[in-house]
Amino acid sequence: MFAGRYPDQTRFAFRPGITCLTTGAGAILLNPPHSEKLARLSTEQSAALKRLNVGPATVSDLAGAGPGAAQARGIEALIDHLATRGYLTVTSCGDATDLYSIIPFGRPPPRPDPTPGASMSKFAVLHSDSAGFVLEHPLGWCDVRIHTPRLLPLLGGQVSDCPDLPTTVVSQFLDDLSWAGALVRPDDEKSSFEALSWSAPDLWFHRRSTLGQRVVTWDDFGPTKWAKGRFAQPPGRRTAYPGDPVALPVPDLAVRRSQDPPLAAVIEDRVSTRAFDDERPITAEQLGELLYRTARTRGTQAAAAGEELLSRPYPSGGGIYELEIYPVVRSVAGLESGMYHYDSFEHALCPVAAADAPATTQLIKPAAATLAGGAEPQVVLVIAARAGRMMWTYEQIAYATVLKNVGALMQTVYLAATAMGLGVCAQGFSDTAAFVAATGVDERQECSVGSIIVGSRTP
């Protein structure tokens, strides 16, 4: 019995997102995107459901004054049914104080056997929010809200770490942590490829940026425009850097349409280039053409009041276009070395940092690890995201969408550069700290999210 394993003062409540409609024929539990009908309810069970609609209650509260044994068993059976399907939040109490709550977002699995020597899972995360501490696991079925700091020492899995609480409370808490997946056996995450290959950030990012058991509705997920009416949307055009911009020549796209190789040839010829011709480096005209063909802002569009969408050659989620390109130049014919920002509206390069600045050097040198013989690249296009543009519109999936846009931009650069006879090599990393040092930006407003090397191919 579920209800019978908890102390009498334990309180039960419908978890967030559950709606219970009581009718003369029974009740309907609405649990988007599913629902369940409850029929053949006793009078006491129907009254208990109505009481749960009001707020948290103990089994005694739900049974009413002076219940008989049969009625009490009926209430416990109802609690068991609701809890085993993940409809109820369970709050454990002690001395009239809330200790912790189990808040399901999925259907609970069977309880595991006791696990002596259990320790906290490497994927479990304890964090605080406006209501206190929350323990979460990306593959879990519930969150555990910890109402008192006295329980925190128990997260190591040892009963002896909390001598000021009754043993029964401590044992129940540890049992519930194992049930929630937060405590695991010592060897559970040390012997399988799957557990060792996934890092905690990767698994969290995967689960938090996709629909699934935790997220089943669009209430706080996707393009909610949660910031509308509270904050102004960050403008489509980035504030210009000081200094005189370097105007870039505009290529004749009509000529390119007639002279470029066909798309099938470009796709088949696309490769990552790891050797470049420093004796005949890429020219400023070629760099300008590549940027124009792949990343210029073709136009703007006013959407709803206070919203601005853009158009560029590559696709971008929601037409938001949060990405910026920073060419870090080591060797370009006709262009001084240094770090620039590409003004996609004016098709110009704005100086950002000098060639001999430590941050500029740090942005170039790591890229040599992917080139033949450790050669330094002619140009590194650092891709940055003005995250607020995306996060103003999207919840939970904003950063994931940014990375998808980076992939779309990289492929566009690959194809245009291949058509132009240039070499390209995308990077799987970028130095975020060096980018911040070079630009002086607040990383929460703009951060590097990718980089790609371009230059002239070896003969």
Side-chain angles (χ1 to χ4, degrees), residues 368-416:
T370 60
L371 299 185
E376 292 188 341
Q378 295 173 11
V379 182
V380 177
L381 300 181
V382 176
I383 303 171
R386 294 171 56 227
R389 282 278 298 169
M390 189 63 65
M391 293 176 178
W392 188 91
T393 294
Y394 290 98
E395 286 190 76
Q396 299 195 48
I397 64 170
Y399 192 71
T401 305
V402 167
L403 297 185
K404 292 178 175 68
N405 293 340
V406 171
L409 174 55
M410 282 185 169
Q411 176 70 340
T412 303
V413 171
Y414 259 109
L415 297 182

Side-chain angles (χ1 to χ4, degrees), residues 146-451:
I146 299 174
H147 301 292
T148 173
R150 291 189 297 164
L151 293 175
L152 296 181
L154 293 172
L155 297 183
Q158 301 300 316
V159 175
S160 59
D161 289 338
C162 201
D164 61 329
L165 285 173
T167 303
T168 54
V169 171
V170 171
S171 297
Q172 184 64 61
F173 180 59
L174 295 178
D175 184 48
D176 284 342
L177 290 183
S178 295
W179 191 31
L183 291 184
V184 296
R185 289 175 295 188
D187 295 332
D188 281 355
E189 296 177 343
K190 298 178 182 179
S191 57
S192 74
F193 170 76
E194 290 75 19
L196 292 172
S197 59
W198 279 88
S199 70
D202 285 345
L203 190 58
W204 269 102
F205 179 62
H206 165 68
R207 272 303 183 103
R208 281 294 195 170
S209 60
T210 56
L211 288 169
Q213 187 171 236
R214 179 183 288 273
V215 180
V216 296
T217 71
W218 294 91
D219 292 341
D220 301 298
F221 185 88
T224 61
K225 296 185 180 179
W226 65 274
K228 189 176 182 66
R230 296 176 59 188
F231 305 97
Q233 183 193 46
R237 185 170 187 175
R238 191 200 189 285
T239 302
Y241 285 92
D244 296 329
V246 178
L248 295 170
V250 176
D252 188 334
L253 294 185
V255 173
R256 296 295 176 266
R257 285 175 181 268
S258 62
Q259 294 182 353
D260 267 2
L263 178 61
V266 170
I267 291 177
E268 289 303 311
D269 292 343
R270 184 219 61 78
V271 294
S272 289
T273 302
R274 302 187 185 279
F276 294 86
D277 186 0
D278 268 3
E279 293 186 3
R280 287 175 292 276
I282 185 175
T283 67
E285 183 178 7
Q286 288 175 312
L287 178 60
E289 178 179 336
L290 180 65
L291 293 171
Y292 188 85
R293 295 176 65 167
T294 60
R296 79 185 187 280
T297 297
R298 298 186 294 198
T300 61
Q301 175 188 352
E307 297 181 49
E308 181 184 29
L309 305 181
L310 307 179
S311 173
R312 291 177 185 164
Y314 62 93
S316 176
I320 292 171
Y321 290 99
E322 76 292 349
L323 299 181
E324 304 285 339
I325 292 183
Y326 289 79
V328 183
V329 174
R330 184 186 66 84
S331 178
V332 173
L335 185 63
E336 289 187 13
S337 299
M339 181 178 181
Y340 297 85
H341 170 252
Y342 176 58
D343 184 340
S344 64
F345 289 79
E346 298 296 333
H347 187 51
L349 295 178
C350 302
V352 175
D356 58 356
T360 305
T361 302
Q362 189 59 34
L363 287 167
I364 289 179
K365 281 191 173 181
T370 60
L371 299 185
E376 292 188 341
Q378 295 173 11
V379 182
V380 177
L381 300 181
V382 176
I383 303 171
R386 294 171 56 227
R389 282 278 298 169
M390 189 63 65
M391 293 176 178
W392 188 91
T393 294
Y394 290 98
E395 286 190 76
Q396 299 195 48
I397 64 170
Y399 192 71
T401 305
V402 167
L403 297 185
K404 292 178 175 68
N405 293 340
V406 171
L409 174 55
M410 282 185 169
Q411 176 70 340
T412 303
V413 171
Y414 259 109
L415 297 182
T418 301
M420 294 171 60
L422 297 174
V424 183
C425 185
Q427 306 292 285
F429 56 88
S430 59
D431 193 323
T432 57
F435 175 80
V436 170
T439 59
V441 299
D442 182 336
E443 192 168 3
R444 295 168 300 175
Q445 295 179 356
E446 186 173 5
C447 57
S448 66
V449 287
S451 62

